[in-house]
Amino acid sequence: MTHIPAILLIVNPISGDIDKDILIQKVEKQVLNEGKNLLIYKTSGKHDIQEITSILKENSPQRVLVAGGDGTIKLCVEALQKFDIPLGIIPAGSANGLAVDLGIPTDLNNAIDLALNKNAKPMDILKINGETAIHISDIGINASLVKNYDKSNIRGKLGYALQSIPTLIDFKETFRFKIVANGTIKEGHAMMIAIANSQKYGNGAVINPKGKLDDGKFEVLIFKSLQMGKILQTIFNEIPFDEDFVEMIATDVVEITTKEAIPFQIDGEYIEKTKKIEAKIFSKQAQIIY
Ligand SMILES: Nc1ncnc2c1ncn2[C@@H]1O[C@H](COP(=O)(O)OP(=O)(O)OP(=O)(O)O)[C@@H](O)[C@H]1O
């Protein structure tokens, strides 16, 4: 009996606002045209990593396609850790931070075509306080903005813009930090410290122009300035990144401690206030198609 190669499509039914039935039909059509089998797994939000792992073991798909936002991509990256299978991304979340950063097409047909046909490239993955991180994490003013946005009902760019007002009320002063990286210690005051392997937030704002996804290093970006307006304009992608205004440390491991507990987010998801962050890079842990 000849073996028919399989493609596994992992769909988050609740992420973003794309119609997932149409998405599945489009993927199905292309996969069948290529003479392959399509397996579909819809996430439930519970035990997804275990479920995906057993499908991978049983079916050894040629590639995995994920339709969801950063949270869904992250769980696929975790499930794929022990397998050498490429992961293609079909942006179907609300913000799609990593997909924007990787330049994945927003057009559904083009994204599917790329995910099914292009070769994968290795990508470094971060562990931050024990959590897998695939995009940009930070403490300070942006994490505070993410927290306020999560609590509000207005989505999208306007939602973020509106939350800049309560964020500025909450977050008026710099915080004291200590960074240990590359065998050196740096201390000072900052409005925000980001940990980034890639370059851009989901709105396209470049905050880490030197970020490379496969160099075994990530960047710690210290936004020291008290010019709050300029920081927010950078985050909102209204002004270009100004190197003079941000200090950058390239490293493979970092410990950041702060005097007080500071708002903290990983990949657009608010975690909690924290006083200590430990981050480490794991070189070329994922095979991503982009
Ligand atoms: N069937 C489901 N019901 C409820 N929650 C789910 C389900 N499937 C997945 N989830 C949850 O969805 C979250 C991931 O969503 P994801 O980040 O991919 O989308 P998003 O929030 O719309 O996009 P983005 O991160 O781009 O803003 C995870 O917390 C996961 O547990």
Side-chain angles (χ1 to χ4, degrees):
M1 212 170 75
T2 48
H3 174 74
I4 301 173
I7 302 291
L8 171 61
L9 172 64
I10 297 170
V11 183
N12 182 332
I14 61 117
S15 69
D17 50 16
I18 287 188
D19 184 326
K20 302 294 166 25
D21 291 335
I22 292 177
L23 185 150
I24 292 171
Q25 280 167 23
K26 283 181 186 280
V27 175
E28 200 156 40
K29 196 169 161 209
Q30 284 217 39
V31 170
L32 295 181
N33 274 346
E34 291 180 15
K36 295 174 185 168
N37 272 341
L38 183 67
L39 309 165
I40 299 168
Y41 175 76
K42 292 185 181 170
T43 58
S44 67
K46 286 188 190 116
H47 316 297
D48 287 317
I49 296 179
Q50 293 92 315
E51 300 285 346
I52 295 167
T53 306
S54 49
I55 299 174
L56 293 172
K57 275 189 191 147
E58 272 169 40
N59 299 279
S60 307
Q62 263 189 344
R63 47 180 80 200
V64 174
L65 270 49
V66 51
D70 283 347
T72 318
I73 299 171
K74 190 185 309 200
L75 72 88
C76 291
V77 165
E78 290 186 338
L80 281 163
Q81 245 165 31
K82 295 198 176 86
F83 300 85
D84 189 20
I85 303 174
L87 179 66
I89 298 167
I90 304 170
S94 45
N96 304 311
L98 183 67
V100 169
D101 218 323
L102 299 178
I104 291 176
T106 46
D107 174 81
L108 190 53
N109 292 319
N110 292 343
I112 295 170
D113 197 38
L114 185 123
L116 284 173
N117 296 305
K118 217 172 165 190
N119 289 334
K121 296 180 206 164
M123 187 174 115
D124 303 336
I125 299 297
L126 282 156
K127 283 265 180 208
I128 305 180
N129 288 3
E131 266 217 41
T132 299
I134 53 166
H135 191 225
I136 299 176
S137 306
D138 47 60
I139 53 168
I141 192 161
N142 186 57
S144 180
L145 191 64
V146 168
K147 179 180 149 204
N148 289 329
Y149 176 80
D150 281 353
K151 284 193 298 194
S152 80
N153 297 321
I154 302 168
R155 303 282 91 189
K157 214 172 159 182
L158 175 68
Y160 274 104
L162 288 174
Q163 291 316 315
S164 59
I165 299 153
T167 303
L168 286 169
I169 294 167
D170 283 359
F171 210 93
K172 285 191 239 24
E173 288 172 15
T174 55
F175 56 86
R176 188 160 174 72
F177 70 85
K178 178 176 169 189
I179 295 176
V180 184
N182 296 332
T184 59
I185 297 176
K186 184 171 280 295
E187 289 183 89
H189 288 86
M191 289 304 294
M192 158 172 157
I193 301 176
I195 294 174
N197 189 29
S198 52
Q199 300 196 346
K200 302 174 198 164
Y201 281 124
N203 63 356
V206 174
I207 65 143
N208 184 25
K210 301 228 164 85
K212 280 184 79 184
L213 292 166
D214 60 352
D215 60 354
K217 288 205 157 83
F218 60 93
E219 283 72 31
V220 180
L221 301 132
I222 311 163
F223 291 71
K224 282 184 171 173
S225 169
L226 261 175
Q227 289 171 277
M228 202 93 83
K230 209 167 167 187
I231 296 181
L232 284 176
Q233 278 177 300
T234 307
I235 299 170
F236 287 146
N237 201 15
E238 284 165 3
I239 55 168
F241 180 81
D242 179 354
E243 282 201 34
D244 295 340
F245 144 89
V246 182
E247 194 174 336
M248 194 196 83
I249 304 168
T251 184
D252 56 355
V253 56
V254 74
E255 184 188 283
I256 305 170
T257 43
T258 55
K259 197 153 177 265
E260 285 118 45
I262 307 295
F264 168 44
Q265 69 90 12
I266 297 183
D267 297 341
E269 234 160 89
Y270 184 71
I271 308 291
E272 59 183 355
K273 283 190 175 182
T274 184
K275 285 183 175 180
K276 186 170 180 181
I277 290 174
E278 290 175 301
K280 187 172 187 291
I281 202 142
F282 291 82
S283 179
K284 301 183 179 176
Q285 282 280 300
Q287 296 295 323
I288 308 288
I289 301 159
Y290 66 98

